Amino acid sequence: MQIDKELIPALSEIDFINRYKKLSMDHRFGDDEAFEQYSNDIILEIVSSFGFKPKYYKRENFFGIQEYNGDYTFEFNLSFKYGYVECIWGIQKKGERLTIGGPWGMIAQLLTQNYDESIKRPMFRNYEELKDILSYSFELFKDFKNEIIKNSIEDNSI
């Protein structure tokens, strides 16, 4: 799998790899500290408090967000299994899916082509830490979307 060439400049511009590493390092604890008994209803409230309209997919046990901007549909899926936060991006342009790699860890590996070094998913021990992780993650998502849109506008103006 590879990342669509249209997306690489945006990921580079937002310093995706280093920012994801920082998030991971700031939220790394022992597995025994993980907050596994979270409430899906509370998570929906937390995600909504950031201005998103999340949907919970019970069958797959993840939360999904979709945002539309011009030709693009941005997807941000979140999984919270075992107290870890797994962030998964997807993007469509004019209804056609662009290859981005999915989970952030895989995106980082594809960008660096270093399959031996994986960045661990951030972990939360309580809802406050989850809010911190989500705040940082949503900021990264916003920056990514803005870069994609900016690059699209620049490409169309040539």
Side-chain angles (χ1 to χ4, degrees):
M1 179 174 267
Q2 61 185 26
I3 297 174
D4 193 288
K5 65 181 180 188
E6 181 179 344
L7 305 178
I8 293 173
L11 291 164
S12 176
E13 187 64 33
I14 65 169
D15 197 19
F16 173 79
I17 295 170
N18 288 324
R19 289 171 74 183
Y20 182 43
K21 279 182 184 177
K22 178 182 178 355
L23 178 65
S24 172
M25 295 302 294
D26 288 350
H27 296 279
R28 183 170 295 164
F29 312 103
D31 287 343
D32 59 328
E33 297 180 74
F35 188 47
E36 295 184 40
Q37 301 302 318
Y38 60 85
S39 160
N40 288 334
D41 291 334
I42 293 175
I43 288 183
L44 281 169
E45 287 176 26
I46 291 170
V47 173
S48 296
S49 75
F50 287 97
F52 294 103
K53 295 179 180 159
K55 183 175 179 183
Y56 177 63
Y57 296 89
K58 184 176 182 176
R59 186 174 186 188
E60 295 89 6
N61 192 25
F62 76 91
F63 298 81
I65 297 166
Q66 282 193 335
E67 291 198 341
Y68 307 93
N69 191 313
D71 292 339
Y72 294 95
T73 302
F74 296 95
E75 301 166 352
F76 193 165
N77 298 323
L78 296 157
S79 173
F80 302 101
K81 292 178 186 167
Y82 312 114
Y84 289 93
V85 178
E86 182 173 42
C87 300
I88 305 157
W89 280 347
I91 185 169
Q92 296 177 38
K93 182 178 181 182
K94 296 181 181 177
E96 196 165 313
R97 184 161 301 282
L98 299 177
T99 305
I100 190 167
W104 283 7
M106 183 180 286
I107 294 170
Q109 287 180 332
L110 290 170
L111 285 171
T112 62
Q113 297 185 0
N114 184 351
Y115 300 101
D116 295 330
E117 178 193 0
S118 66
I119 302 171
K120 302 217 183 292
R121 294 171 292 171
M123 177 188 286
F124 63 102
R125 298 175 289 190
N126 54 55
Y127 291 119
E128 285 306 310
E129 288 179 355
L130 177 59
K131 287 177 189 176
D132 290 342
I133 292 168
L134 291 176
S135 176
Y136 192 90
S137 299
F138 291 145
E139 188 67 29
L140 195 52
F141 181 54
K142 181 184 96 182
D143 292 347
F144 176 67
K145 291 183 307 181
N146 289 341
E147 280 301 314
I148 293 294
I149 300 305
K150 182 180 96 177
N151 291 344
S152 173
I153 291 169
E154 289 172 357
D155 288 346
N156 289 333
S157 66
I158 297 175

